[in-house]
Amino acid sequence: MHLDYPQKTNGLYLLNRQNIEEIETGILEEHMPAVLNSPCAVNIKWLAEEEYGLDIQHYFLTYDSSILGLIAFAHENITVMDNTFNKIITEIDEGTVIIERTLMGRSNFCRYRFTLAHEVSHWLIHRPFHSPTNKQYEFRTAIQSYIACRSADIENKKHINRDDTDWQEWQTDSL
């Protein structure tokens, strides 16, 4: 999906709520047009894997589940935990989504869906900002080629002075 919206010089899109709604409609028109005439739940896993080619993996990301999901914009080595909570380094490729393993199961179904949709939204609207091919990327030492989304970012939405990270979270939560 090509986005034709203004961007900051660093590649971050300047999106408002109307722009987000236009993007939503564009996604549905392109991939699930029937939903626009007969509303139903969007199969976000199908959209992520089949339409956008994302690879969904499940790991324990932190001991306290403070990171719910992650999306990679380039090949990376990241630290995750195995089933016995031993730290391991795993290679992930561009387009890999990792969802916190504790979100699997019926009791966390809604949080799992939201987290997956959130990571897909990052993929759609924040690749220009995080991509190593972005000329500004090499000058931003705090920016990685992946985004790890913390539960605090999702649950603490009241920000007076928003920085680029806050705007990214607002945009993806809205989408």
Side-chain angles (χ1 to χ4, degrees):
M1 165 175 257
H2 172 73
L3 301 179
D4 191 21
Y5 295 98
Q7 292 173 279
K8 293 174 73 172
T9 56
N10 65 11
L12 183 65
Y13 282 106
L14 300 169
L15 301 173
N16 59 34
R17 194 163 300 279
Q18 180 181 343
N19 301 143
I20 299 289
E21 289 176 11
E22 292 167 357
I23 294 168
E24 292 165 351
T25 301
I27 291 167
L28 295 176
E29 285 174 343
E30 184 175 344
H31 302 289
M32 302 179 77
V35 171
L36 295 170
N37 297 324
S38 180
C40 65
V42 171
N43 184 337
I44 192 65
K45 188 174 186 299
W46 171 83
L47 192 65
E49 292 178 327
E50 301 302 322
E51 296 298 310
Y52 293 115
L54 300 177
D55 177 27
I56 302 170
Q57 299 181 18
H58 304 93
Y59 284 102
F60 294 107
L61 293 168
T62 56
Y63 292 112
D64 61 359
S65 300
S66 60
I67 296 178
L68 300 175
L70 180 147
I71 179 80
F73 299 103
H75 182 84
E76 283 281 342
N77 290 321
I78 63 163
T79 302
V80 295
M81 289 177 284
D82 64 17
N83 290 337
T84 58
F85 293 97
N86 292 313
K87 288 185 177 184
I88 57 171
I89 295 176
T90 187
E91 288 185 54
I92 57 174
D93 290 318
E94 176 182 5
T96 300
V97 174
I98 298 179
I99 303 293
E100 167 62 35
R101 195 169 192 84
T102 59
L103 297 183
M104 297 180 71
R106 198 173 272 305
S107 65
N108 287 317
F109 178 73
C110 293
R111 174 65 94 173
Y112 180 93
R113 267 181 54 81
F114 180 84
T115 301
L116 180 56
H118 182 96
E119 300 308 326
V120 172
S121 297
H122 275 306
W123 179 253
L124 295 174
I125 59 180
H126 296 133
R127 275 186 288 172
F129 184 67
H130 287 274
S131 172
T133 60
N134 177 349
K135 292 180 183 182
Q136 294 296 316
Y137 179 86
E138 61 193 54
F139 301 109
R140 292 180 285 142
T141 57
I143 302 298
Q144 300 167 312
S145 62
Y146 65 91
I147 299 174
C149 297
R150 301 181 181 282
S151 58
D153 294 335
I154 293 170
E155 295 161 1
N156 183 16
K157 297 183 184 239
K158 304 256 185 212
H159 296 286
I160 295 171
N161 297 317
R162 289 188 169 162
D163 62 13
D164 287 342
T165 300
D166 295 331
W167 279 116
Q168 287 176 88
E169 294 306 310
W170 178 84
Q171 290 171 353
T172 52
D173 284 350
S174 297
L175 183 57

